[in-house]
Amino acid sequence: MSIARVTEIKSTSRKSFDDAVQAGITRANKTLKNVRGAWVKEMEVACGDDGKISEYRVLMKVTFVLED
């Protein structure tokens, strides 16, 4: 039997939502062991003074399995 835990992380990118998700998963793997998946809970953008998108943001719930 295995037991999993879920933690929320927020990640940003200047390129895209996909890049923000990848950056978040990459960073989570540096700290957490046994990352098994993530659910993107929220997506948002920030806009600059010119009205164009300046940053993509995602709030994710990352699932990882606890070790024995």
Side-chain angles (χ1 to χ4, degrees):
M1 175 172 71
S2 61
I3 299 188
R5 185 171 178 148
V6 177
T7 188
E8 282 191 345
I9 63 170
K10 192 165 202 176
S11 180
T12 63
S13 169
R14 294 190 180 273
K15 294 180 186 178
S16 67
F17 286 119
D18 287 340
D19 193 56
V21 171
Q22 184 61 53
I25 294 296
T26 299
R27 178 60 183 89
N29 274 296
K30 289 182 180 178
T31 305
L32 305 172
K33 294 181 181 179
N34 303 317
V35 172
R36 294 294 182 243
W39 169 56
V40 178
K41 183 177 176 183
E42 294 179 16
M43 299 168 72
E44 63 181 290
V45 295
C47 296
D49 293 335
D50 59 0
K52 295 182 180 179
I53 295 173
S54 60
E55 191 172 62
Y56 298 86
R57 300 173 182 163
V58 294
L59 177 63
M60 299 185 293
K61 289 190 174 226
V62 177
T63 303
F64 59 100
V65 176
L66 300 175
E67 294 180 341
D68 290 335

